[in-house]
Amino acid sequence: MVDFIFLLIIAMPWFGMDIGGTLVKLVYFEPTDLSPDMQTCETEILGQIRRYLRSSSSYGKTGIRDIHLQMDNCCINNRIGTLHFIRFPTSEMPVFLNMAASKGLASTSSTICATGGGAFKFEKDFQHECRLQLHKFDELDSLIHGLHYIEASNPHECYYFEMARSPSMATKRPYDFSRPYPFLVVNIGSGVSILAVYSPDSYRRVSGSSLGGGTFLGLCSLLTGCDTFEDAIKLAAKGDSTKVDKSVRDIYGGDYSKFRLSGDTVASSFGQMCSKTKREQVTKADLARATLVTITNNIGSIAKMCAISEHIDRVLFVGNFLRVNEISLKLLAYAMDYWSEGQMKALFLEHEGYFGAVGCLLELMKTGQHNQHNNNHH
């Protein structure tokens, strides 16, 4: 982690940073169109970063480079290059700040670009510990700008699930998102924000929820003792939520046809846990699965109501809650299709939680601060 952070520091103007409540997301733009003149200025720093980036996909115990998301031949600010996607827990920010101070980041740059709640939370820490100013960009502006850029740059970015009402047979299919407006964005991070988007520069926040990915991991940690999101998802994949939840069938003995409620529909999340006998029979995996289903169903329900209220039939689910989380992807696809009688479509994006960091990088390039830094430094 130490080496990882040091290499981020020496070329920070090429990074977009989204400091969330649970994860820090970093996007690094590596120029690949270096002319002979540019090489004299950039080769040394770029070479160091390139060697480190490509030496491993894991940085220490907590930092991860998502190699499968790497995007080549991207054009940003008239430069051609590769986008690298990196994440580490926000709990590691003190390590980042200590390294920034010890390596003298302030001597090479006076401003760092960042978005997300952590851009505000850690602003004084950057100033006091590193003598650095945070150039803050609005979180939701960055999300929308990054989303549009990635979707336009990656022809296979957007997808949906065919046969969504049969989760075991649901198949991932590409979706043409070239004419998307209006659409709803459900951003699932530690909490949930829901935006109605009418054009690249016109959107508004219509709702949200405090029950998001942070809730899932927090409850899972309490109930099962797991430490990481990945562990919680793996545990949930082995569980059976019907042993924890009370279904319509448990109450009615079958379907409740008057209101189109099948017997399998969850009537009461964790409703079986009122019984001591039932509690003694469940496993930690069952509890993890029920927690995941509870949070996901709640998000899907709120999203559906917002879509109806806004008269929007395309709902885009993004955020790191969906990473390595096929259970929730298919649950959301099923819920949106079933409860709208096929009138609404749940859409997903490959780069899930990185759009804020990408949007922040794009805003940074627009400000020209990286050019100013390069000129001053050389």
Side-chain angles (χ1 to χ4, degrees):
M1 189 61 168
V2 170
D3 289 340
F4 164 59
I5 291 172
F6 171 65
L7 281 164
L8 293 181
I9 288 170
I10 60 177
M12 184 59 72
W14 292 101
F15 284 84
M17 240 181 138
D18 180 359
I19 311 173
T22 305
L23 281 177
V24 176
K25 284 78 66 178
L26 291 149
V27 177
Y28 169 57
F29 179 68
E30 176 191 8
T32 56
D33 60 351
L34 302 182
S35 67
D37 290 339
M38 289 177 179
Q39 287 182 4
T40 59
C41 298
E42 300 182 3
T43 299
E44 184 178 350
I45 288 176
L46 290 176
Q48 289 183 57
I49 294 177
R50 185 183 303 111
R51 283 192 297 273
Y52 194 80
L53 281 175
R54 295 180 180 176
S55 66
S56 175
S57 60
S58 179
Y59 306 86
K61 293 181 179 179
T62 54
I64 299 292
R65 177 167 69 103
D66 286 314
I67 297 176
H68 67 288
L69 296 180
Q70 178 178 313
M71 291 177 61
D72 300 317
N73 299 316
C74 293
C75 181
I76 295 181
N77 202 34
N78 297 318
R79 295 295 300 274
I80 303 298
T82 299
L83 277 174
H84 300 278
F85 299 87
I86 302 160
R87 54 186 159 84
F88 65 86
T90 306
S91 58
E92 293 291 318
M93 278 301 292
V95 180
F96 183 98
L97 291 167
N98 287 338
M99 289 303 301
S102 65
K103 297 298 181 182
L105 177 56
S107 65
T108 59
S109 176
S110 60
T111 305
I112 289 180
C113 117
T115 190
F120 295 86
K121 180 179 179 179
F122 294 105
E123 184 174 20
K124 289 184 179 178
D125 295 323
F126 273 95
Q127 290 173 348
H128 295 158
E129 296 184 32
C130 311
R131 291 181 293 122
L132 284 165
Q133 299 297 317
L134 279 190
H135 191 101
K136 300 187 297 297
F137 295 102
D138 181 78
E139 179 178 3
L140 299 182
D141 282 346
S142 296
L143 168 69
I144 297 300
H145 293 157
L147 189 156
H148 280 109
Y149 176 82
I150 292 287
E151 199 286 320
S153 303
N154 182 13
H156 307 295
E157 183 68 25
C158 191
Y159 64 93
Y160 72 102
F161 284 96
E162 192 174 62
M163 299 183 68
R165 294 197 202 183
S166 302
S168 62
M169 300 176 65
T171 307
K172 191 174 170 180
R173 295 281 186 244
Y175 183 84
D176 181 1
F177 203 63
S178 58
R179 301 178 70 181
Y181 307 107
F183 65 94
L184 214 62
V185 176
V186 182
N187 187 32
I188 315 170
S190 299
V192 182
S193 283
I194 301 179
L195 315 175
V197 184
Y198 303 101
S199 77
D201 297 307
S202 175
Y203 75 88
R204 62 189 181 89
R205 188 179 188 273
V206 295
S207 189
S209 174
S210 62
L211 306 182
T215 316
F216 164 65
L217 181 55
L219 288 176
C220 238
S221 298
L222 284 170
L223 292 169
T224 71
C226 62
D227 291 322
T228 70
F229 180 77
E230 287 81 2
D231 288 343
I233 293 294
K234 286 178 183 176
L235 192 60
K238 302 173 185 174
D240 180 357
S241 59
T242 63
K243 294 180 180 178
V244 180
D245 299 333
K246 187 166 284 188
S247 68
V248 169
R249 182 176 290 105
D250 292 324
I251 298 173
Y252 281 85
D255 298 343
Y256 189 3
S257 55
K258 179 178 179 179
F259 293 106
R260 294 179 53 245
L261 296 172
S262 75
D264 295 328
T265 302
V266 177
S268 175
S269 297
F270 282 78
Q272 301 276 30
M273 296 299 90
C274 300
S275 161
K276 182 180 179 182
T277 302
K278 296 286 188 180
R279 288 198 300 273
E280 291 172 347
Q281 294 173 350
V282 299
T283 66
K284 288 184 177 181
D286 297 334
L287 292 170
R289 181 66 165 247
T291 305
L292 185 60
V293 170
T294 297
I295 297 301
T296 305
N297 281 346
N298 186 64
I299 293 168
S301 177
I302 295 171
K304 185 205 73 169
M305 289 188 285
C306 288
I308 291 173
S309 175
E310 298 297 320
H311 306 289
I312 293 174
D313 58 12
R314 279 167 292 204
V315 184
L316 193 59
F317 293 93
V318 301
N320 270 300
F321 175 69
L322 300 176
R323 178 171 47 83
V324 299
N325 187 2
E326 189 174 272
I327 296 169
S328 291
L329 291 173
K330 291 185 175 180
L331 273 175
L332 290 169
Y334 172 89
M336 297 305 292
D337 187 78
Y338 182 84
W339 293 112
S340 72
E341 297 183 356
Q343 296 304 302
M344 294 179 194
K345 189 174 287 292
L347 303 173
F348 307 96
L349 298 174
E350 297 287 356
H351 285 82
E352 292 148 351
Y354 281 107
F355 301 108
V358 172
C360 183
L361 173 64
L362 296 173
E363 292 301 314
L364 173 69
M365 293 299 182
K366 285 181 187 176
T367 67
Q369 286 195 23
H370 68 299
N371 290 328
Q372 181 182 356
H373 160 64
N374 285 340
N375 293 335
N376 292 341
H377 190 53
H378 297 102

